[in-house]
Amino acid sequence: MLISVDTDVLRALADPLRMRIVQLLSAETLCTTHLIAETGARQTNLSNHLRVLREAGLVETEPCGRFTYYRLRPEALDGLSAGLAGLAEAARAGGRPRRAC
């Protein structure tokens, strides 16, 4: 049984600042200005992290005048969650013989 886990999503979430951004966006849609205030990150650094999150499919943008709002895509996390749950279930199934060296 082959379980698929999106490594791009895992890699994106592995960074502490990106994980913090995802946590913030899970509660509300925020613009870059709000994210800078909440994280203390510099604008260029934050923009780079948001690009990685967008490319991984975790966030989407919504232009609003001169601001860009970001919101979390829950379906991206649902896919990751299902993949990880599948791995956990395969490990629980156990009962497999140990491969000889």
Side-chain angles (χ1 to χ4, degrees):
M1 164 161 66
L2 181 63
I3 308 291
S4 174
V5 175
D6 190 341
T7 57
D8 289 337
V9 173
L10 283 175
R11 196 173 294 117
L13 293 173
D15 182 87
L17 179 56
R18 288 194 290 263
M19 190 62 203
R20 176 71 178 133
I21 293 167
V22 167
Q23 289 171 337
L24 290 167
L25 294 178
S26 71
E28 60 186 319
T29 300
L30 298 169
C31 73
T32 308
T33 305
H34 297 128
L35 289 167
I36 289 169
E38 290 289 331
T39 63
R42 292 188 178 174
Q43 196 272 327
T44 54
N45 189 23
L46 189 70
S47 292
N48 287 330
H49 285 291
L50 287 166
R51 179 184 46 79
V52 170
L53 291 170
R54 272 194 325 273
E55 289 173 356
L58 286 164
V59 299
E60 57 190 12
T61 61
E62 180 185 332
C64 184
R66 56 176 236 184
F67 298 102
T68 300
Y69 280 85
Y70 294 86
R71 70 174 159 256
L72 189 61
R73 295 185 62 241
E75 59 274 10
L77 294 175
D78 288 340
L80 177 63
S81 176
L84 292 174
L87 288 173
E89 189 57 37
R92 270 190 211 94
R96 296 187 180 106
R98 184 172 29 191
R99 195 182 279 195
C101 293

